[in-house]
Amino acid sequence: MLKNSKVVVVGGSSGIGFAVARQALAAGAEVVIASRSPDKLHTAAQQLGGRVSVQQIDVSDEQAVIEFFACVGPFDHLAATIKPQLPSGKFLDNDVAAVCAAFDAKFWGQYRLAKHAVRHLRPHGSIVLTSGVAAQRSYPGYSIVSAMNAATEALARAIAIEIAPIRVNTVCPGFVDADTPIAGRADYVRKLAPNLPLNRLGAADEIAEAYLYLFGNTYSTGSVIVVDGGVTC
Ligand SMILES: NC(=O)c1ccc[n+]([C@@H]2O[C@H](COP(=O)([O-])OP(=O)(O)OC[C@H]3O[C@@H](n4cnc5c(N)ncnc54)[C@H](OP(=O)(O)O)[C@@H]3O)[C@@H](O)[C@H]2O)c1
């Protein structure tokens, strides 16, 4: 399905992004994974094998994003799966600077990636951003996560109409059994599992399938695919 395609996964060194990279490779793509830590990237590349290359990038730095895409060259699909350091406190307790830094990495990071990817994406190409189920539902301690995820979905819908025929979509994951659980949240998230209709957290591979679908489906743009195990509360 992705034969002769080049897929870039920013945030591809772990979790959902790593699963997207693995599935894209299995579908025949050449894959670039990118994130901040060279060690994580090289370990991930070794585990992935195949036609994968690595690029170090911090999406908080706009110039670095511009140079990153110049180095990658023409490509077909971008997946952004960045997870920043998230403040784990409640709204009234959180330090505003920490909240702004998280928002900067996740929301403005995806904004920078989408903006500077466009000139390198082939015309049939696509961008898939990542939100999260807190965009639509409220959980204690998740106010900043809700805000950044809702903003991400709104951004994707808005730019889909401006940069067509390049397609822009969002994957909205539910709670995933993550490689790197958020400090202070892991127990809370695990306790949610029995209340989900499917009685368990999701697997990164189950979320990743939605990115592959959106890369391939040439009539999907401006949409949000929710993969959340049926979260209802
Ligand atoms: N896991 C969940 O339960 C869940 C639920 C809903 C939504 N989501 C969303 O799904 C996405 C992936 O989550 P995940 O749990 O798979 O995350 P993860 O395993 O923590 O991976 C996050 C990736 O982002 C990279 N990264 C973080 N900050 C970066 C920056 N400033 N510049 C470049 N790369 C950066 C990390 O590598 P480095 O540290 O090396 O930079 C890593 O590759 C996130 O957007 C998250 O908010 C996750």
mmCIF file with all atom_site columns, all heavy atoms in Angstrom, residues 11 13-16 35-37 40 57-59 81-83 106 130-132 173-176 178 180, ligand 1:
data_model
loop_
_atom_site.group_PDB
_atom_site.id
_atom_site.type_symbol
_atom_site.label_atom_id
_atom_site.label_alt_id
_atom_site.label_comp_id
_atom_site.label_asym_id
_atom_site.label_entity_id
_atom_site.label_seq_id
_atom_site.pdbx_PDB_ins_code
_atom_site.Cartn_x
_atom_site.Cartn_y
_atom_site.Cartn_z
_atom_site.occupancy
_atom_site.B_iso_or_equiv
_atom_site.pdbx_formal_charge
_atom_site.auth_seq_id
_atom_site.auth_comp_id
_atom_site.auth_asym_id
_atom_site.auth_atom_id
_atom_site.pdbx_PDB_model_num
ATOM   1   N N   . GLY A 1 11  ? 8.222  12.001 16.494 1.00 0.00 ? 11  GLY A N   1
ATOM   2   C CA  . GLY A 1 11  ? 7.750  11.330 17.715 1.00 0.00 ? 11  GLY A CA  1
ATOM   3   C C   . GLY A 1 11  ? 7.792  9.829  17.494 1.00 0.00 ? 11  GLY A C   1
ATOM   4   O O   . GLY A 1 11  ? 7.147  9.075  18.218 1.00 0.00 ? 11  GLY A O   1
ATOM   5   N N   . SER A 1 13  ? 10.140 7.673  17.965 1.00 0.00 ? 13  SER A N   1
ATOM   6   C CA  . SER A 1 13  ? 11.094 6.836  18.712 1.00 0.00 ? 13  SER A CA  1
ATOM   7   C C   . SER A 1 13  ? 10.427 6.011  19.804 1.00 0.00 ? 13  SER A C   1
ATOM   8   O O   . SER A 1 13  ? 11.070 5.154  20.399 1.00 0.00 ? 13  SER A O   1
ATOM   9   C CB  . SER A 1 13  ? 12.219 7.696  19.305 1.00 0.00 ? 13  SER A CB  1
ATOM   10  O OG  . SER A 1 13  ? 11.689 8.625  20.231 1.00 0.00 ? 13  SER A OG  1
ATOM   11  N N   . SER A 1 14  ? 9.145  6.268  20.080 1.00 0.00 ? 14  SER A N   1
ATOM   12  C CA  . SER A 1 14  ? 8.469  5.419  21.081 1.00 0.00 ? 14  SER A CA  1
ATOM   13  C C   . SER A 1 14  ? 6.957  5.453  20.889 1.00 0.00 ? 14  SER A C   1
ATOM   14  O O   . SER A 1 14  ? 6.434  6.242  20.101 1.00 0.00 ? 14  SER A O   1
ATOM   15  C CB  . SER A 1 14  ? 8.837  5.849  22.509 1.00 0.00 ? 14  SER A CB  1
ATOM   16  O OG  . SER A 1 14  ? 8.318  7.118  22.789 1.00 0.00 ? 14  SER A OG  1
ATOM   17  N N   . GLY A 1 15  ? 6.287  4.574  21.636 1.00 0.00 ? 15  GLY A N   1
ATOM   18  C CA  . GLY A 1 15  ? 4.831  4.593  21.735 1.00 0.00 ? 15  GLY A CA  1
ATOM   19  C C   . GLY A 1 15  ? 4.098  4.485  20.405 1.00 0.00 ? 15  GLY A C   1
ATOM   20  O O   . GLY A 1 15  ? 4.426  3.652  19.546 1.00 0.00 ? 15  GLY A O   1
ATOM   21  N N   . ILE A 1 16  ? 3.115  5.347  20.242 1.00 0.00 ? 16  ILE A N   1
ATOM   22  C CA  . ILE A 1 16  ? 2.252  5.299  19.053 1.00 0.00 ? 16  ILE A CA  1
ATOM   23  C C   . ILE A 1 16  ? 3.060  5.591  17.791 1.00 0.00 ? 16  ILE A C   1
ATOM   24  O O   . ILE A 1 16  ? 2.892  4.921  16.764 1.00 0.00 ? 16  ILE A O   1
ATOM   25  C CB  . ILE A 1 16  ? 1.091  6.311  19.222 1.00 0.00 ? 16  ILE A CB  1
ATOM   26  C CG1 . ILE A 1 16  ? 0.171  5.878  20.367 1.00 0.00 ? 16  ILE A CG1 1
ATOM   27  C CG2 . ILE A 1 16  ? 0.299  6.454  17.917 1.00 0.00 ? 16  ILE A CG2 1
ATOM   28  C CD1 . ILE A 1 16  ? -0.842 6.933  20.808 1.00 0.00 ? 16  ILE A CD1 1
ATOM   29  N N   . SER A 1 35  ? 12.940 12.684 16.622 1.00 0.00 ? 35  SER A N   1
ATOM   30  C CA  . SER A 1 35  ? 12.598 13.175 17.966 1.00 0.00 ? 35  SER A CA  1
ATOM   31  C C   . SER A 1 35  ? 13.853 13.809 18.552 1.00 0.00 ? 35  SER A C   1
ATOM   32  O O   . SER A 1 35  ? 14.816 14.031 17.825 1.00 0.00 ? 35  SER A O   1
ATOM   33  C CB  . SER A 1 35  ? 12.043 12.045 18.849 1.00 0.00 ? 35  SER A CB  1
ATOM   34  O OG  . SER A 1 35  ? 13.063 11.150 19.210 1.00 0.00 ? 35  SER A OG  1
ATOM   35  N N   . ARG A 1 36  ? 13.831 14.107 19.859 1.00 0.00 ? 36  ARG A N   1
ATOM   36  C CA  . ARG A 1 36  ? 14.966 14.851 20.431 1.00 0.00 ? 36  ARG A CA  1
ATOM   37  C C   . ARG A 1 36  ? 16.145 13.965 20.808 1.00 0.00 ? 36  ARG A C   1
ATOM   38  O O   . ARG A 1 36  ? 17.284 14.330 20.611 1.00 0.00 ? 36  ARG A O   1
ATOM   39  C CB  . ARG A 1 36  ? 14.517 15.608 21.688 1.00 0.00 ? 36  ARG A CB  1
ATOM   40  C CG  . ARG A 1 36  ? 13.526 16.715 21.429 1.00 0.00 ? 36  ARG A CG  1
ATOM   41  C CD  . ARG A 1 36  ? 12.880 17.166 22.715 1.00 0.00 ? 36  ARG A CD  1
ATOM   42  N NE  . ARG A 1 36  ? 12.227 16.029 23.385 1.00 0.00 ? 36  ARG A NE  1
ATOM   43  C CZ  . ARG A 1 36  ? 11.629 16.086 24.554 1.00 0.00 ? 36  ARG A CZ  1
ATOM   44  N NH1 . ARG A 1 36  ? 11.596 17.218 25.216 1.00 0.00 ? 36  ARG A NH1 1
ATOM   45  N NH2 . ARG A 1 36  ? 11.061 15.014 25.083 1.00 0.00 ? 36  ARG A NH2 1
ATOM   46  N N   . SER A 1 37  ? 15.882 12.803 21.368 1.00 0.00 ? 37  SER A N   1
ATOM   47  C CA  . SER A 1 37  ? 16.968 12.009 21.950 1.00 0.00 ? 37  SER A CA  1
ATOM   48  C C   . SER A 1 37  ? 17.618 11.082 20.925 1.00 0.00 ? 37  SER A C   1
ATOM   49  O O   . SER A 1 37  ? 16.988 10.137 20.442 1.00 0.00 ? 37  SER A O   1
ATOM   50  C CB  . SER A 1 37  ? 16.407 11.174 23.113 1.00 0.00 ? 37  SER A CB  1
ATOM   51  O OG  . SER A 1 37  ? 17.205 10.043 23.333 1.00 0.00 ? 37  SER A OG  1
ATOM   52  N N   . LYS A 1 40  ? 17.409 7.355  22.011 1.00 0.00 ? 40  LYS A N   1
ATOM   53  C CA  . LYS A 1 40  ? 16.105 6.715  21.781 1.00 0.00 ? 40  LYS A CA  1
ATOM   54  C C   . LYS A 1 40  ? 15.904 6.423  20.300 1.00 0.00 ? 40  LYS A C   1
ATOM   55  O O   . LYS A 1 40  ? 15.383 5.385  19.903 1.00 0.00 ? 40  LYS A O   1
ATOM   56  C CB  . LYS A 1 40  ? 14.977 7.625  22.292 1.00 0.00 ? 40  LYS A CB  1
ATOM   57  C CG  . LYS A 1 40  ? 14.721 7.487  23.785 1.00 0.00 ? 40  LYS A CG  1
ATOM   58  C CD  . LYS A 1 40  ? 13.823 8.569  24.339 1.00 0.00 ? 40  LYS A CD  1
ATOM   59  C CE  . LYS A 1 40  ? 12.391 8.493  23.894 1.00 0.00 ? 40  LYS A CE  1
ATOM   60  N NZ  . LYS A 1 40  ? 11.558 9.534  24.548 1.00 0.00 ? 40  LYS A NZ  1
ATOM   61  N N   . ILE A 1 57  ? 15.406 16.148 16.186 1.00 0.00 ? 57  ILE A N   1
ATOM   62  C CA  . ILE A 1 57  ? 14.699 17.424 16.068 1.00 0.00 ? 57  ILE A CA  1
ATOM   63  C C   . ILE A 1 57  ? 13.974 17.729 17.376 1.00 0.00 ? 57  ILE A C   1
ATOM   64  O O   . ILE A 1 57  ? 13.457 16.819 18.033 1.00 0.00 ? 57  ILE A O   1
ATOM   65  C CB  . ILE A 1 57  ? 13.679 17.404 14.897 1.00 0.00 ? 57  ILE A CB  1
ATOM   66  C CG1 . ILE A 1 57  ? 13.086 18.790 14.714 1.00 0.00 ? 57  ILE A CG1 1
ATOM   67  C CG2 . ILE A 1 57  ? 12.609 16.382 15.100 1.00 0.00 ? 57  ILE A CG2 1
ATOM   68  C CD1 . ILE A 1 57  ? 12.102 18.898 13.586 1.00 0.00 ? 57  ILE A CD1 1
ATOM   69  N N   . ASP A 1 58  ? 13.953 19.005 17.725 1.00 0.00 ? 58  ASP A N   1
ATOM   70  C CA  . ASP A 1 58  ? 13.075 19.472 18.805 1.00 0.00 ? 58  ASP A CA  1
ATOM   71  C C   . ASP A 1 58  ? 12.059 20.392 18.141 1.00 0.00 ? 58  ASP A C   1
ATOM   72  O O   . ASP A 1 58  ? 12.422 21.463 17.622 1.00 0.00 ? 58  ASP A O   1
ATOM   73  C CB  . ASP A 1 58  ? 13.882 20.223 19.870 1.00 0.00 ? 58  ASP A CB  1
ATOM   74  C CG  . ASP A 1 58  ? 13.007 20.654 21.046 1.00 0.00 ? 58  ASP A CG  1
ATOM   75  O OD1 . ASP A 1 58  ? 11.771 20.705 20.889 1.00 0.00 ? 58  ASP A OD1 1
ATOM   76  O OD2 . ASP A 1 58  ? 13.571 20.938 22.118 1.00 0.00 ? 58  ASP A OD2 1
ATOM   77  N N   . VAL A 1 59  ? 10.799 20.001 18.161 1.00 0.00 ? 59  VAL A N   1
ATOM   78  C CA  . VAL A 1 59  ? 9.781  20.754 17.420 1.00 0.00 ? 59  VAL A CA  1
ATOM   79  C C   . VAL A 1 59  ? 9.465  22.104 18.062 1.00 0.00 ? 59  VAL A C   1
ATOM   80  O O   . VAL A 1 59  ? 8.689  22.886 17.516 1.00 0.00 ? 59  VAL A O   1
ATOM   81  C CB  . VAL A 1 59  ? 8.484  19.947 17.245 1.00 0.00 ? 59  VAL A CB  1
ATOM   82  C CG1 . VAL A 1 59  ? 8.737  18.681 16.446 1.00 0.00 ? 59  VAL A CG1 1
ATOM   83  C CG2 . VAL A 1 59  ? 7.843  19.622 18.587 1.00 0.00 ? 59  VAL A CG2 1
ATOM   84  N N   . THR A 1 81  ? 3.434  12.683 16.318 1.00 0.00 ? 81  THR A N   1
ATOM   85  C CA  . THR A 1 81  ? 2.987  11.945 17.514 1.00 0.00 ? 81  THR A CA  1
ATOM   86  C C   . THR A 1 81  ? 3.794  12.374 18.747 1.00 0.00 ? 81  THR A C   1
ATOM   87  O O   . THR A 1 81  ? 4.154  11.549 19.585 1.00 0.00 ? 81  THR A O   1
ATOM   88  C CB  . THR A 1 81  ? 3.137  10.414 17.307 1.00 0.00 ? 81  THR A CB  1
ATOM   89  O OG1 . THR A 1 81  ? 4.517  10.124 17.044 1.00 0.00 ? 81  THR A OG1 1
ATOM   90  C CG2 . THR A 1 81  ? 2.293  9.903  16.167 1.00 0.00 ? 81  THR A CG2 1
ATOM   91  N N   . ILE A 1 82  ? 4.021  13.667 18.834 1.00 0.00 ? 82  ILE A N   1
ATOM   92  C CA  . ILE A 1 82  ? 4.834  14.202 19.936 1.00 0.00 ? 82  ILE A CA  1
ATOM   93  C C   . ILE A 1 82  ? 4.040  14.184 21.236 1.00 0.00 ? 82  ILE A C   1
ATOM   94  O O   . ILE A 1 82  ? 2.901  14.648 21.271 1.00 0.00 ? 82  ILE A O   1
ATOM   95  C CB  . ILE A 1 82  ? 5.158  15.691 19.655 1.00 0.00 ? 82  ILE A CB  1
ATOM   96  C CG1 . ILE A 1 82  ? 5.802  15.841 18.304 1.00 0.00 ? 82  ILE A CG1 1
ATOM   97  C CG2 . ILE A 1 82  ? 5.993  16.306 20.764 1.00 0.00 ? 82  ILE A CG2 1
ATOM   98  C CD1 . ILE A 1 82  ? 5.242  17.045 17.576 1.00 0.00 ? 82  ILE A CD1 1
ATOM   99  N N   . LYS A 1 83  ? 4.677  13.688 22.285 1.00 0.00 ? 83  LYS A N   1
ATOM   100 C CA  . LYS A 1 83  ? 4.053  13.841 23.618 1.00 0.00 ? 83  LYS A CA  1
ATOM   101 C C   . LYS A 1 83  ? 5.011  14.626 24.509 1.00 0.00 ? 83  LYS A C   1
ATOM   102 O O   . LYS A 1 83  ? 6.099  14.156 24.812 1.00 0.00 ? 83  LYS A O   1
ATOM   103 C CB  . LYS A 1 83  ? 3.728  12.494 24.250 1.00 0.00 ? 83  LYS A CB  1
ATOM   104 C CG  . LYS A 1 83  ? 2.970  12.678 25.565 1.00 0.00 ? 83  LYS A CG  1
ATOM   105 C CD  . LYS A 1 83  ? 2.191  11.447 25.973 1.00 0.00 ? 83  LYS A CD  1
ATOM   106 C CE  . LYS A 1 83  ? 3.076  10.408 26.582 1.00 0.00 ? 83  LYS A CE  1
ATOM   107 N NZ  . LYS A 1 83  ? 2.356  9.164  26.826 1.00 0.00 ? 83  LYS A NZ  1
ATOM   108 N N   . LYS A 1 106 ? 3.414  20.434 22.068 1.00 0.00 ? 106 LYS A N   1
ATOM   109 C CA  . LYS A 1 106 ? 2.410  19.600 21.381 1.00 0.00 ? 106 LYS A CA  1
ATOM   110 C C   . LYS A 1 106 ? 1.618  20.383 20.336 1.00 0.00 ? 106 LYS A C   1
ATOM   111 O O   . LYS A 1 106 ? 1.525  19.954 19.181 1.00 0.00 ? 106 LYS A O   1
ATOM   112 C CB  . LYS A 1 106 ? 1.455  18.950 22.384 1.00 0.00 ? 106 LYS A CB  1
ATOM   113 C CG  . LYS A 1 106 ? 0.300  18.237 21.656 1.00 0.00 ? 106 LYS A CG  1
ATOM   114 C CD  . LYS A 1 106 ? -0.044 16.895 22.131 1.00 0.00 ? 106 LYS A CD  1
ATOM   115 C CE  . LYS A 1 106 ? -1.135 16.293 21.248 1.00 0.00 ? 106 LYS A CE  1
ATOM   116 N NZ  . LYS A 1 106 ? -1.684 15.060 21.737 1.00 0.00 ? 106 LYS A NZ  1
ATOM   117 N N   . THR A 1 130 ? -2.006 14.444 15.907 1.00 0.00 ? 130 THR A N   1
ATOM   118 C CA  . THR A 1 130 ? -2.507 13.601 17.005 1.00 0.00 ? 130 THR A CA  1
ATOM   119 C C   . THR A 1 130 ? -3.130 14.477 18.083 1.00 0.00 ? 130 THR A C   1
ATOM   120 O O   . THR A 1 130 ? -2.503 15.431 18.550 1.00 0.00 ? 130 THR A O   1
ATOM   121 C CB  . THR A 1 130 ? -1.353 12.788 17.631 1.00 0.00 ? 130 THR A CB  1
ATOM   122 O OG1 . THR A 1 130 ? -0.697 12.051 16.591 1.00 0.00 ? 130 THR A OG1 1
ATOM   123 C CG2 . THR A 1 130 ? -1.881 11.817 18.680 1.00 0.00 ? 130 THR A CG2 1
ATOM   124 N N   . SER A 1 131 ? -4.369 14.130 18.440 1.00 0.00 ? 131 SER A N   1
ATOM   125 C CA  . SER A 1 131 ? -5.015 14.831 19.566 1.00 0.00 ? 131 SER A CA  1
ATOM   126 C C   . SER A 1 131 ? -5.081 13.851 20.740 1.00 0.00 ? 131 SER A C   1
ATOM   127 O O   . SER A 1 131 ? -4.067 13.327 21.169 1.00 0.00 ? 131 SER A O   1
ATOM   128 C CB  . SER A 1 131 ? -6.384 15.366 19.148 1.00 0.00 ? 131 SER A CB  1
ATOM   129 O OG  . SER A 1 131 ? -7.247 14.319 18.753 1.00 0.00 ? 131 SER A OG  1
ATOM   130 N N   . GLY A 1 132 ? -6.260 13.570 21.237 1.00 0.00 ? 132 GLY A N   1
ATOM   131 C CA  . GLY A 1 132 ? -6.427 12.650 22.361 1.00 0.00 ? 132 GLY A CA  1
ATOM   132 C C   . GLY A 1 132 ? -7.839 12.818 22.886 1.00 0.00 ? 132 GLY A C   1
ATOM   133 O O   . GLY A 1 132 ? -8.478 13.855 22.669 1.00 0.00 ? 132 GLY A O   1
ATOM   134 N N   . PRO A 1 173 ? -6.431 9.377  19.953 1.00 0.00 ? 173 PRO A N   1
ATOM   135 C CA  . PRO A 1 173 ? -6.340 8.126  20.719 1.00 0.00 ? 173 PRO A CA  1
ATOM   136 C C   . PRO A 1 173 ? -7.061 8.224  22.054 1.00 0.00 ? 173 PRO A C   1
ATOM   137 O O   . PRO A 1 173 ? -7.152 9.301  22.653 1.00 0.00 ? 173 PRO A O   1
ATOM   138 C CB  . PRO A 1 173 ? -4.827 7.977  20.982 1.00 0.00 ? 173 PRO A CB  1
ATOM   139 C CG  . PRO A 1 173 ? -4.137 9.032  20.176 1.00 0.00 ? 173 PRO A CG  1
ATOM   140 C CD  . PRO A 1 173 ? -5.154 10.112 19.935 1.00 0.00 ? 173 PRO A CD  1
ATOM   141 N N   . GLY A 1 174 ? -7.530 7.080  22.507 1.00 0.00 ? 174 GLY A N   1
ATOM   142 C CA  . GLY A 1 174 ? -7.987 6.962  23.888 1.00 0.00 ? 174 GLY A CA  1
ATOM   143 C C   . GLY A 1 174 ? -6.788 6.661  24.768 1.00 0.00 ? 174 GLY A C   1
ATOM   144 O O   . GLY A 1 174 ? -5.653 7.004  24.431 1.00 0.00 ? 174 GLY A O   1
ATOM   145 N N   . PHE A 1 175 ? -7.024 6.004  25.890 1.00 0.00 ? 175 PHE A N   1
ATOM   146 C CA  . PHE A 1 175 ? -5.928 5.739  26.835 1.00 0.00 ? 175 PHE A CA  1
ATOM   147 C C   . PHE A 1 175 ? -5.159 4.493  26.402 1.00 0.00 ? 175 PHE A C   1
ATOM   148 O O   . PHE A 1 175 ? -5.733 3.429  26.212 1.00 0.00 ? 175 PHE A O   1
ATOM   149 C CB  . PHE A 1 175 ? -6.484 5.575  28.245 1.00 0.00 ? 175 PHE A CB  1
ATOM   150 C CG  . PHE A 1 175 ? -7.074 6.862  28.761 1.00 0.00 ? 175 PHE A CG  1
ATOM   151 C CD1 . PHE A 1 175 ? -8.448 7.072  28.736 1.00 0.00 ? 175 PHE A CD1 1
ATOM   152 C CD2 . PHE A 1 175 ? -6.251 7.881  29.215 1.00 0.00 ? 175 PHE A CD2 1
ATOM   153 C CE1 . PHE A 1 175 ? -8.988 8.270  29.192 1.00 0.00 ? 175 PHE A CE1 1
ATOM   154 C CE2 . PHE A 1 175 ? -6.782 9.088  29.667 1.00 0.00 ? 175 PHE A CE2 1
ATOM   155 C CZ  . PHE A 1 175 ? -8.157 9.285  29.652 1.00 0.00 ? 175 PHE A CZ  1
ATOM   156 N N   . VAL A 1 176 ? -3.846 4.694  26.265 1.00 0.00 ? 176 VAL A N   1
ATOM   157 C CA  . VAL A 1 176 ? -2.994 3.636  25.723 1.00 0.00 ? 176 VAL A CA  1
ATOM   158 C C   . VAL A 1 176 ? -2.077 3.135  26.832 1.00 0.00 ? 176 VAL A C   1
ATOM   159 O O   . VAL A 1 176 ? -1.629 3.903  27.679 1.00 0.00 ? 176 VAL A O   1
ATOM   160 C CB  . VAL A 1 176 ? -2.149 4.209  24.559 1.00 0.00 ? 176 VAL A CB  1
ATOM   161 C CG1 . VAL A 1 176 ? -1.160 3.169  24.047 1.00 0.00 ? 176 VAL A CG1 1
ATOM   162 C CG2 . VAL A 1 176 ? -3.062 4.686  23.440 1.00 0.00 ? 176 VAL A CG2 1
ATOM   163 N N   . ALA A 1 178 ? 1.002  2.860  27.617 1.00 0.00 ? 178 ALA A N   1
ATOM   164 C CA  . ALA A 1 178 ? 2.146  3.504  26.960 1.00 0.00 ? 178 ALA A CA  1
ATOM   165 C C   . ALA A 1 178 ? 3.478  2.955  27.449 1.00 0.00 ? 178 ALA A C   1
ATOM   166 O O   . ALA A 1 178 ? 3.596  2.476  28.563 1.00 0.00 ? 178 ALA A O   1
ATOM   167 C CB  . ALA A 1 178 ? 2.087  4.998  27.218 1.00 0.00 ? 178 ALA A CB  1
ATOM   168 N N   . THR A 1 180 ? 5.886  4.973  27.953 1.00 0.00 ? 180 THR A N   1
ATOM   169 C CA  . THR A 1 180 ? 6.364  6.017  28.864 1.00 0.00 ? 180 THR A CA  1
ATOM   170 C C   . THR A 1 180 ? 5.163  6.673  29.543 1.00 0.00 ? 180 THR A C   1
ATOM   171 O O   . THR A 1 180 ? 4.732  7.749  29.149 1.00 0.00 ? 180 THR A O   1
ATOM   172 C CB  . THR A 1 180 ? 7.132  7.096  28.071 1.00 0.00 ? 180 THR A CB  1
ATOM   173 O OG1 . THR A 1 180 ? 6.325  7.487  26.948 1.00 0.00 ? 180 THR A OG1 1
ATOM   174 C CG2 . THR A 1 180 ? 8.466  6.606  27.595 1.00 0.00 ? 180 THR A CG2 1
HETATM 175 N N1  . LIG B 2 .   ? -0.450 7.281  25.393 1.00 0.00 ? 1   LIG B N1  1
HETATM 176 C C1  . LIG B 2 .   ? -1.699 7.663  25.594 1.00 0.00 ? 1   LIG B C1  1
HETATM 177 O O1  . LIG B 2 .   ? -2.438 7.125  26.449 1.00 0.00 ? 1   LIG B O1  1
HETATM 178 C C2  . LIG B 2 .   ? -2.296 8.777  24.763 1.00 0.00 ? 1   LIG B C2  1
HETATM 179 C C3  . LIG B 2 .   ? -3.655 9.089  24.924 1.00 0.00 ? 1   LIG B C3  1
HETATM 180 C C4  . LIG B 2 .   ? -4.195 10.123 24.152 1.00 0.00 ? 1   LIG B C4  1
HETATM 181 C C5  . LIG B 2 .   ? -3.376 10.821 23.283 1.00 0.00 ? 1   LIG B C5  1
HETATM 182 N N2  . LIG B 2 .   ? -2.051 10.489 23.167 1.00 0.00 ? 1   LIG B N2  1
HETATM 183 C C6  . LIG B 2 .   ? -1.239 11.262 22.250 1.00 0.00 ? 1   LIG B C6  1
HETATM 184 O O2  . LIG B 2 .   ? -0.593 10.388 21.343 1.00 0.00 ? 1   LIG B O2  1
HETATM 185 C C7  . LIG B 2 .   ? 0.699  10.914 20.992 1.00 0.00 ? 1   LIG B C7  1
HETATM 186 C C8  . LIG B 2 .   ? 1.764  9.865  21.250 1.00 0.00 ? 1   LIG B C8  1
HETATM 187 O O3  . LIG B 2 .   ? 1.720  9.500  22.617 1.00 0.00 ? 1   LIG B O3  1
HETATM 188 P P1  . LIG B 2 .   ? 2.661  8.309  23.165 1.00 0.00 ? 1   LIG B P1  1
HETATM 189 O O4  . LIG B 2 .   ? 2.114  7.896  24.484 1.00 0.00 ? 1   LIG B O4  1
HETATM 190 O O5  . LIG B 2 .   ? 2.847  7.294  22.104 1.00 0.00 ? 1   LIG B O5  1
HETATM 191 O O6  . LIG B 2 .   ? 4.005  9.151  23.424 1.00 0.00 ? 1   LIG B O6  1
HETATM 192 P P2  . LIG B 2 .   ? 5.487  8.689  23.805 1.00 0.00 ? 1   LIG B P2  1
HETATM 193 O O7  . LIG B 2 .   ? 5.647  7.212  23.796 1.00 0.00 ? 1   LIG B O7  1
HETATM 194 O O8  . LIG B 2 .   ? 5.871  9.449  25.037 1.00 0.00 ? 1   LIG B O8  1
HETATM 195 O O9  . LIG B 2 .   ? 6.322  9.265  22.556 1.00 0.00 ? 1   LIG B O9  1
HETATM 196 C C9  . LIG B 2 .   ? 6.397  10.634 22.358 1.00 0.00 ? 1   LIG B C9  1
HETATM 197 C C10 . LIG B 2 .   ? 7.411  10.919 21.270 1.00 0.00 ? 1   LIG B C10 1
HETATM 198 O O10 . LIG B 2 .   ? 7.519  12.331 21.120 1.00 0.00 ? 1   LIG B O10 1
HETATM 199 C C11 . LIG B 2 .   ? 8.900  12.694 21.116 1.00 0.00 ? 1   LIG B C11 1
HETATM 200 N N3  . LIG B 2 .   ? 8.980  14.077 21.566 1.00 0.00 ? 1   LIG B N3  1
HETATM 201 C C12 . LIG B 2 .   ? 8.549  14.611 22.732 1.00 0.00 ? 1   LIG B C12 1
HETATM 202 N N4  . LIG B 2 .   ? 8.772  15.932 22.750 1.00 0.00 ? 1   LIG B N4  1
HETATM 203 C C13 . LIG B 2 .   ? 9.343  16.252 21.559 1.00 0.00 ? 1   LIG B C13 1
HETATM 204 C C14 . LIG B 2 .   ? 9.819  17.456 20.993 1.00 0.00 ? 1   LIG B C14 1
HETATM 205 N N5  . LIG B 2 .   ? 9.756  18.633 21.644 1.00 0.00 ? 1   LIG B N5  1
HETATM 206 N N6  . LIG B 2 .   ? 10.352 17.422 19.747 1.00 0.00 ? 1   LIG B N6  1
HETATM 207 C C15 . LIG B 2 .   ? 10.422 16.251 19.069 1.00 0.00 ? 1   LIG B C15 1
HETATM 208 N N7  . LIG B 2 .   ? 10.003 15.073 19.556 1.00 0.00 ? 1   LIG B N7  1
HETATM 209 C C16 . LIG B 2 .   ? 9.462  15.077 20.797 1.00 0.00 ? 1   LIG B C16 1
HETATM 210 C C17 . LIG B 2 .   ? 9.547  11.649 22.048 1.00 0.00 ? 1   LIG B C17 1
HETATM 211 O O11 . LIG B 2 .   ? 10.934 11.463 21.863 1.00 0.00 ? 1   LIG B O11 1
HETATM 212 P P3  . LIG B 2 .   ? 12.058 12.352 22.604 1.00 0.00 ? 1   LIG B P3  1
HETATM 213 O O12 . LIG B 2 .   ? 11.748 12.321 24.066 1.00 0.00 ? 1   LIG B O12 1
HETATM 214 O O13 . LIG B 2 .   ? 13.347 11.696 22.240 1.00 0.00 ? 1   LIG B O13 1
HETATM 215 O O14 . LIG B 2 .   ? 11.965 13.718 22.017 1.00 0.00 ? 1   LIG B O14 1
HETATM 216 C C18 . LIG B 2 .   ? 8.817  10.389 21.568 1.00 0.00 ? 1   LIG B C18 1
HETATM 217 O O15 . LIG B 2 .   ? 9.376  9.929  20.358 1.00 0.00 ? 1   LIG B O15 1
HETATM 218 C C19 . LIG B 2 .   ? 0.867  12.198 21.830 1.00 0.00 ? 1   LIG B C19 1
HETATM 219 O O16 . LIG B 2 .   ? 0.472  13.305 21.056 1.00 0.00 ? 1   LIG B O16 1
HETATM 220 C C20 . LIG B 2 .   ? -0.099 11.981 22.978 1.00 0.00 ? 1   LIG B C20 1
HETATM 221 O O17 . LIG B 2 .   ? -0.525 13.206 23.551 1.00 0.00 ? 1   LIG B O17 1
HETATM 222 C C21 . LIG B 2 .   ? -1.491 9.473  23.882 1.00 0.00 ? 1   LIG B C21 1
#
